[in-house]
Amino acid sequence: MTKYAKFGLAAIFLLLSTTLFSQRPLHEIEKELKTLADDILTNDSLSVKISQNKRFSTLLIETLKRPESFDYPFDSLKTISILEPEDHSFRIFTWHIVDKNYSEYYGEQYHYYFGLVQRKYEEDEKTEFLVIPLVELRTIPRGVENSVLDNGSWLGALYYQPKYSDYLPSYTIKALDYRNKKVKSKVYLLLGWNGNDEKSNYKIVDVLSFDPKDKNRVLFGADIFYFDQIPKYRALFKYSEFAPFSLNYSYVQDGGKKKKMIVYDHMGTPKQGDQKLQDVYETGADGSYDALYFYPKVGYFEWYRNVTLAEKYISSENRKKQEEIRRNQQKIDEERKKAMAESQDVADQFSTMENGNNGGNRINPASKKAQKQMLKELEAQRKKEQEKLKQAGIKLPENDQ
């Protein structure tokens, strides 16, 4: 067989494969996507996660290129965040991989984020369905709050559905365009979570828009967040891995009115009266709330400090959950301190044995107790990771809850 004949057969095979894929029902593809997505999040092997993620990404991109997929819900992909605005002009898919050595409870962990924007683009009575990958920045750069990013320089995050909203909220703003002129444009609000490292996480308030000059370019950020006289392009909140931090829509009492705002915990340190900047490891919510309120007439968000939540809109169930989170956090902190103290005690005794001052090779029972405590904390950490994903709107498979 000549090389030309081989090339011809290969071309026919490729054509048949593409045709078969286009004929494959979406519900069958969804089943395969679900299996891959579950492995990406929960498999114990990082190499398996990476391999499955490559297959998942390729299959999802090819699927989303099909016009009929735009209205397909993909309901079974519980570990993938899928959000869209009320105008149904696009959908944004986000997910992540956790690289964590679970044998080292206090060791480092890394989160890798992935995203796709499926856009319905209409021009000259023609409709296109575009799939735009989001490429995560390797590190979060200093000053990232003060610049516009795009799909090639994305601040990786899992986006979650804002409370009291069925869709991603949209706003008309006045922001600087590519000519550095203030123009009216439409943006969509994004609330996101980024599990930064073993000590800290980020919550993010960002906005998404599309480049009017390039249909395949997604923009993130706009100079509309006023915490002082100089606006920021997004709000970024860093908080301790060992402290809960809420950021979502809520109703705030403002004079005699109730206003819907983006409300978040005010962060403080456990040392009262200490004005020095503490390590984020030591910070946590201090019981007060700050907020961002959007002014439609001027088209920007402004910071409100120490707001009062409208109790009418806080259900007794939510209050119970908040109190339960606080109690659990206190318990985890106490157990963690106890385990660290016991681990240090064991280390001191082993050091004494190695120096020949222990009179033998007897192992103190505290070592076994410390090992059990570390395993207990490991399980607590895994549950905490799952809880954070739930708060971000990501539902884990039933067998992993």
Side-chain angles (χ1 to χ4, degrees):
M1 183 181 292
T2 67
K3 63 179 181 179
Y4 299 105
K6 291 180 180 178
F7 177 79
L9 287 175
I12 292 171
F13 178 77
L14 179 62
L15 179 62
L16 287 173
S17 298
T18 304
T19 303
L20 289 172
F21 178 81
S22 64
Q23 294 174 347
R24 189 178 172 192
L26 289 177
H27 71 270
E28 289 186 5
I29 298 176
E30 183 183 11
K31 289 181 181 179
E32 183 177 350
L33 287 171
K34 180 184 183 306
T35 300
L36 295 171
D38 292 349
D39 260 353
I40 290 169
L41 184 62
T42 62
N43 197 285
D44 292 333
S45 168
L46 178 61
S47 62
V48 171
K49 290 180 179 180
I50 293 173
S51 175
Q52 296 294 69
N53 186 61
K54 289 179 180 178
R55 293 176 58 193
F56 176 84
S57 302
T58 302
L59 181 57
L60 183 59
I61 289 173
E62 291 302 317
T63 303
L64 296 182
K65 288 179 180 178
R66 294 168 56 171
E68 69 271 24
S69 72
F70 191 77
D71 297 315
Y72 189 81
F74 295 100
D75 287 337
S76 69
L77 303 185
K78 302 300 184 182
T79 62
I80 307 298
S81 169
I82 307 174
L83 303 175
E84 66 176 330
E86 192 170 8
D87 61 19
H88 303 291
S89 58
F90 71 93
R91 291 194 293 183
I92 183 166
F93 296 70
T94 54
W95 66 98
H96 78 319
I97 289 177
V98 181
D99 175 11
K100 169 70 176 175
N101 183 357
Y102 285 105
S103 66
E104 300 178 6
Y105 179 68
Y106 295 110
E108 292 185 349
Q109 60 182 351
Y110 301 93
H111 297 250
Y112 307 100
Y113 293 87
F114 305 88
L116 295 171
V117 172
Q118 183 187 33
R119 184 184 185 190
K120 186 178 183 180
Y121 182 75
E122 297 177 320
E123 186 180 41
D124 299 330
E125 298 183 354
K126 293 182 180 180
T127 302
E128 292 183 71
F129 293 92
L130 309 174
V131 182
I132 307 168
L134 305 179
V135 181
E136 181 193 12
L137 291 166
R138 290 190 175 182
T139 59
I140 297 178
R142 180 175 295 181
V144 72
E145 302 100 322
N146 303 314
S147 60
V148 173
L149 304 175
D150 62 17
N151 51 287
S153 56
W154 173 53
L155 186 60
L158 284 176
Y159 297 123
Y160 54 92
Q161 188 72 51
K163 286 197 304 184
Y164 311 116
S165 178
D166 294 329
Y167 300 98
L168 290 178
S170 63
Y171 300 97
T172 299
I173 66 168
K174 292 180 181 179
L176 294 174
D177 68 354
Y178 62 96
R179 299 165 299 183
N180 208 32
K181 292 184 178 181
K182 283 277 187 178
V183 296
K184 284 187 177 182
S185 60
K186 188 175 185 178
V187 298
Y188 303 89
L189 181 73
L190 296 171
L191 301 181
W193 169 80
N194 179 300
N196 183 44
D197 56 27
E198 77 279 9
K199 286 187 178 182
S200 62
N201 303 288
Y202 285 102
K203 286 284 181 73
I204 303 164
V205 182
D206 211 339
V207 291
L208 178 152
S209 59
F210 294 95
D211 189 335
K213 296 293 183 179
D214 185 351
K215 63 185 179 182
N216 287 293
R217 187 175 183 225
V218 184
L219 301 176
F220 295 94
D223 57 335
I224 59 171
F225 297 98
Y226 281 85
F227 292 87
D228 49 37
Q229 293 183 347
I230 301 175
K232 295 183 181 296
Y233 284 78
R234 63 187 50 80
L236 198 64
F237 303 97
K238 190 175 185 180
Y239 64 99
S240 171
E241 170 74 13
F242 297 93
F245 178 82
S246 64
L247 180 142
N248 219 316
Y249 270 131
S250 190
Y251 286 91
V252 169
Q253 191 76 37
D254 184 25
K257 298 181 180 179
K258 296 178 178 65
K259 293 182 178 179
K260 188 177 178 181
M261 301 186 184
I262 300 172
V263 177
Y264 55 94
D265 288 306
H266 183 82
M267 304 300 288
T269 65
K271 299 178 182 179
Q272 295 183 358
D274 189 350
Q275 300 301 317
K276 293 188 298 181
L277 180 64
Q278 300 292 318
D279 190 292
V280 70
Y281 189 77
E282 301 175 0
T283 62
D286 65 5
S288 63
Y289 299 94
D290 293 347
L292 288 166
Y293 178 67
F294 184 77
Y295 287 91
K297 290 184 179 180
V298 290
Y300 59 70
F301 287 90
E302 187 173 349
W303 176 45
Y304 275 58
R305 185 171 184 176
N306 198 23
V307 298
T308 301
L309 300 186
E311 288 297 319
K312 176 181 177 183
Y313 296 93
I314 303 177
S315 68
S316 59
E317 182 180 353
N318 284 340
R319 285 197 293 270
K320 289 179 181 177
K321 287 181 179 179
Q322 291 173 0
E323 185 58 34
E324 183 180 353
I325 289 173
R326 292 190 183 97
R327 288 198 302 268
N328 289 342
Q329 186 59 45
Q330 290 175 355
K331 184 177 180 181
I332 290 172
D333 289 343
E334 290 172 0
E335 290 178 349
R336 175 180 158 273
K337 291 177 181 178
K338 183 178 178 182
M340 291 180 70
E342 290 177 344
S343 297
Q344 184 60 49
D345 180 60
V346 171
D348 292 343
Q349 293 191 35
F350 272 115
S351 176
T352 301
M353 284 173 21
E354 289 175 357
N355 292 330
N357 297 325
N358 197 43
N361 294 323
R362 183 174 57 87
I363 299 177
N364 194 292
S367 63
K368 292 184 178 180
K369 186 176 180 181
Q371 290 174 358
K372 289 182 180 179
Q373 182 63 35
M374 292 294 280
L375 291 174
K376 184 178 179 181
E377 289 200 19
L378 173 59
E379 182 61 25
Q381 173 67 5
R382 287 179 173 171
K383 289 181 179 179
K384 185 178 178 183
E385 183 76 24
Q386 293 174 345
E387 183 61 30
K388 287 193 297 184
L389 292 173
K390 289 179 183 178
Q391 292 176 3
I394 310 300
K395 186 177 179 182
L396 293 169
E398 292 183 0
N399 59 344
D400 292 306
Q401 294 185 13

